[in-house]
Amino acid sequence: WFSSRDIQALCEQKLKEPISLSTISTYLSRMVDRGFLAKTEMSNRKQYRMITETAQGILSFVKDNK
């Protein structure tokens, strides 16, 4: 399981520029809606995990939605 802040840190490390947490949350929400990720909520904390091995599909989704 991972959080939106985990993904934000990874994106900023790879892209070498800041990206807002709301942008990351939007991407993750869309990936949940499309069946790439599962989501669980505990209090105010959302956690995600991949439910498919199609990492390429996720990467192209992110690139297409910039």
Side-chain angles (χ1 to χ4, degrees):
W1 292 92
F2 54 88
S3 70
S4 53
R5 290 192 188 275
D6 296 332
I7 299 300
Q8 180 186 32
L10 287 171
C11 287
E12 289 179 346
Q13 181 182 22
K14 292 288 184 184
L15 298 173
K16 307 283 193 236
E17 62 183 59
I19 186 166
S20 73
L21 193 57
S22 65
T23 298
I24 296 299
S25 295
T26 298
Y27 287 156
L28 292 173
S29 177
R30 290 177 183 171
M31 286 188 240
V32 168
D33 290 345
R34 292 189 170 117
F36 289 112
L37 300 175
K39 176 177 78 170
T40 187
E41 294 184 56
M42 294 179 283
S43 301
N44 260 354
R45 298 183 54 173
K46 295 177 185 172
Q47 295 282 306
Y48 303 87
R49 71 175 174 87
M50 290 182 65
I51 56 173
T52 178
E53 297 296 323
T54 317
Q56 278 298 67
I58 292 174
L59 290 174
S60 64
F61 173 83
V62 171
K63 288 178 183 175
D64 292 344
N65 288 286
K66 273 192 163 184

